[in-house]
Amino acid sequence: MKKNIWNILVDALNWVVLMALISTGLILKFILPHGSGSMDAVGRGRGWSEKTVDVLCGLTRHEWGQIHLYVALAFLALIVAHMALHWNWVKAITFEIPKRPRPLLQK
């Protein structure tokens, strides 16, 4: 395949994985926050058992955390692929000394 098609494919996958990473992060932060489903000071005395666990789509907080981890690793791999596809640009910006820009109004 041409390099442009690889760029489009990697960038599109990167966007999808980033949206999944953000979504799982928001689920962990706001829908299933730390301590959700556990027996804490607030839950005691309300008749909750130790086995009460909050779930979303049949998954517990720890299972959502595992998904978040794997999505983050996929995002990292795609970022490495993105950098590899743009390696010439990275080398030019990082290792070569840029020429001084000429003034716009030069006589």
Side-chain angles (χ1 to χ4, degrees):
M1 277 204 253
K2 287 186 172 183
K3 188 174 179 180
N4 288 339
I5 295 173
W6 280 109
N7 278 333
I8 292 169
L9 181 64
V10 167
D11 289 347
L13 285 173
N14 234 344
W15 185 83
V16 169
V17 170
L18 179 62
M19 292 302 111
L21 189 63
I22 291 170
S23 299
T24 56
L26 290 173
I27 287 169
L28 289 170
K29 178 69 176 174
F30 297 111
I31 297 175
L32 299 172
H34 182 71
S36 63
S38 64
M39 196 168 143
D40 56 3
V42 176
R44 290 187 187 132
R46 292 189 181 178
W48 293 353
S49 69
E50 290 183 28
K51 296 190 180 205
T52 302
V53 177
D54 288 340
V55 295
L56 179 66
C57 298
L59 301 174
T60 65
R61 175 174 168 62
H62 292 286
E63 292 168 334
W64 279 106
Q66 287 292 315
I67 292 171
H68 188 70
L69 172 68
Y70 295 134
V71 170
L73 292 174
F75 184 69
L76 180 64
L78 286 167
I79 290 295
V80 169
H82 180 84
M83 295 294 285
L85 287 171
H86 294 88
W87 187 246
N88 289 333
W89 181 84
V90 172
K91 283 193 319 189
I93 295 299
T94 306
F95 301 117
E96 294 178 11
I97 299 171
K99 296 178 183 176
R100 295 178 91 185
R102 295 184 324 186
L104 293 174
L105 300 172
Q106 189 177 30
K107 293 183 181 179

